[in-house]
């Protein structure tokens, strides 16, 4: 073979290999499903949706990679990311110093507080519920969450005689609350609103604990695959700016009319059954990368 021809063939082969590697760039996203409205599943189709998951799909499109979402128990996600069985954790993770010793976080994309959910007929308020004055003398929270640790540190740590029941998922904790097996559930405020919507005649929020928690996406310590700059840049392009204020406070600024602003309108307010039905009709736009079209489709279906 002619040397020039051989060089051209080799160069073409290298290009094809490079394109093939780029085209196959896929990362595993670990998420604990369901935890509405951040992570949800359509029981009829098995499809995953929710604020976190739609945002991760949009990030992947903007950053130029593909993702595969896997349902993994919340308290196992960090270990899965640390050991390389997953690449990204996306499940309403509060950024904490303890977690930052094990993994690295993106810029914060959501600010939340903890809500105290009780049964409407219990007669409990935020003080009596947390003081163990209900019939079950127990508070529920999902294992490994900041709500669980808050009860450990601030309720049990203060010597208050109340049991803390840990659950694999928050829906299981909420179901036990409905059935009277615990007196209260400590859960992030937006998810608590979704729980109230699921049981409007039985549950209510007794009060809010101002924990000022920032949610972030997480990757392995040291970011070995270089994902964080791409995730952060994508969040910026999707409408999020994080401003550093005095005292370590962060202000999350959402650009009006941006993808993230639209996503918040979709998942925080409308009936989630209607959201799920609309998502099935609009999902191809999101999965195909037409982010504006997806938001317009969802808002049209939901009458927003």
């Amino acid at each position: 073979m002619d040397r020039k021809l051989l060089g051209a063939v080799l160069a073409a082969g290298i290009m094809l290999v490079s394109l093939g590697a780029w085209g196959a760039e896929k990362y595993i996203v670990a998420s604990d499903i369901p935890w509405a409205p951040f992570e949800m599943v359509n029981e009829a189709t098995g499809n995953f949706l929710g604020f976190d998951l739609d945002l991760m799909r949009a990030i992947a499109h903007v950053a130029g990679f593909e993702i595969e979402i896997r349902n993994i128990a919340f308290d196992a996600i960090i270990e899965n990311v640390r050991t390389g069985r997953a690449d990204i954790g996306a499940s309403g993770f509060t950024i904490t110093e303890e977690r930052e010793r094990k993994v690295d976080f993106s810029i914060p994309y959501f600010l939340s507080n903890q809500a105290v959910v009780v049964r409407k007929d219990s007669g409990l308020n935020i003080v009596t519920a947390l003081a163990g004055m209900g019939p079950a003398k127990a508070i529920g929270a999902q294992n490994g969450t900041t709500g669980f640790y808050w009860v450990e540190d601030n309720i049990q740590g203060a010597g208050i005689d109340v049991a803390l029941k840990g659950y694999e998922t928050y829906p299981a904790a909420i179901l036990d609350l409905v059935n009277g097996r615990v007196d209260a559930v400590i859960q992030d405020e937006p998810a608590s609103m979704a729980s109230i919507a699921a049981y409007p005649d039985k549950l209510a929020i007794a009060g809010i604990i101002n924990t000022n928690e920032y949610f972030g996406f997480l990757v392995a310590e040291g970011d070995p695959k270089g994902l964080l700059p791409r995730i952060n840049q994508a969040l910026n392009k999707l409408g999020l700016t994080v401003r550093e204020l005095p005292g370590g406070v962060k202000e999350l600024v959402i650009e009006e009319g941006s993808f993230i602003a639209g996503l918040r309108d979709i998942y925080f307010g409308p009936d989630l059954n209607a959201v799920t039905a609309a998502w099935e009709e609009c999902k191809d736009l999101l999965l195909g990368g037409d982010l504006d079209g997806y938001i317009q489709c969802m808002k049209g279906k939901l009458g927003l």
Side-chain angles (χ1 to χ4, degrees):
M1 180 180 291
D2 181 90
R3 183 171 294 180
K4 290 184 179 180
L5 179 59
L6 176 60
V9 170
L10 288 173
I14 291 171
M15 183 177 292
L16 287 172
V17 170
S18 298
L19 288 172
W22 182 88
E25 186 183 16
K26 179 184 287 188
Y27 299 106
I28 305 300
V29 174
S31 188
D32 180 37
I33 304 166
W35 188 52
F38 293 95
E39 292 85 39
M40 299 159 57
V41 60
N42 184 339
E43 297 292 348
T45 64
N47 288 326
F48 298 148
L49 64 152
F51 181 84
D52 280 349
L53 305 184
D54 282 3
L55 183 53
M56 270 308 313
R57 290 177 172 118
I59 289 169
H61 172 71
V62 172
F65 56 77
E66 298 179 5
I67 59 172
E68 176 187 336
I69 298 169
R70 292 184 183 173
N71 188 5
I72 296 175
F74 184 84
D75 56 357
I77 290 176
I78 286 179
E79 186 61 21
N80 271 260
V81 172
R82 285 184 64 249
T83 56
R85 287 173 287 178
D87 302 299
I88 301 168
S91 203
F93 274 98
T94 298
I95 302 171
T96 67
E97 290 184 5
E98 181 180 354
R99 287 172 177 162
E100 286 188 305
R101 287 194 286 268
K102 300 176 182 178
V103 293
D104 289 344
F105 281 93
S106 70
I107 59 173
Y109 66 88
F110 200 90
L111 175 62
S112 179
N113 293 304
Q114 295 290 318
V116 180
V117 186
V118 299
R119 293 188 311 281
K120 280 187 172 181
D121 62 2
S122 68
L124 296 171
N125 57 40
I126 186 170
V127 175
T128 55
L130 296 179
M133 298 176 67
K137 298 188 182 303
I139 299 172
Q142 185 173 355
N143 293 324
T145 63
T146 50
F148 185 95
Y149 296 131
W150 189 91
V151 176
E152 276 192 332
D153 295 340
N154 297 278
I155 302 300
Q156 294 182 326
I160 297 173
D161 184 19
V162 61
L164 172 58
K165 293 187 67 174
Y167 294 86
E168 187 71 17
T169 67
Y170 262 118
I174 291 295
L175 187 59
D176 260 11
L177 176 61
V178 169
N179 292 323
R181 299 187 184 97
V182 294
D183 301 314
V185 168
I186 310 297
Q187 181 181 216
D188 286 280
E189 187 177 359
S192 294
M193 295 298 294
S195 298
I196 300 298
Y199 299 97
D201 298 327
K202 296 185 177 181
L203 301 181
I205 292 178
I208 302 297
I209 305 165
N210 292 316
T211 51
N212 295 316
E213 299 175 39
Y214 299 99
F215 291 0
F217 299 115
L218 62 89
V219 300
E221 188 176 16
D223 190 19
K225 297 183 179 179
L227 287 167
L228 285 186
R230 302 170 73 181
I231 291 172
N232 291 339
Q233 289 169 15
L235 285 169
N236 292 153
K237 291 180 180 178
L238 292 168
L240 171 66
T241 300
V242 179
R243 294 176 180 167
E244 298 286 345
L245 302 180
V249 176
K250 295 179 175 62
E251 181 184 14
L252 277 58
V253 181
I254 308 297
E255 181 183 344
E256 185 176 351
S258 66
F259 178 83
I260 293 180
L263 210 59
R264 290 172 71 101
D265 291 340
I266 289 165
Y267 280 105
F268 301 100
D271 176 78
L272 293 179
N273 289 323
V275 172
T276 300
W279 190 88
E280 291 293 338
E281 296 188 55
C282 301
K283 68 179 186 299
D284 289 343
L285 294 168
L286 173 64
L287 300 178
D290 184 356
L291 304 185
D292 290 338
Y294 168 70
I295 294 297
Q296 292 171 11
C297 179
M298 290 293 288
K299 285 190 171 184
K301 299 291 183 184
L302 296 170
L304 298 177

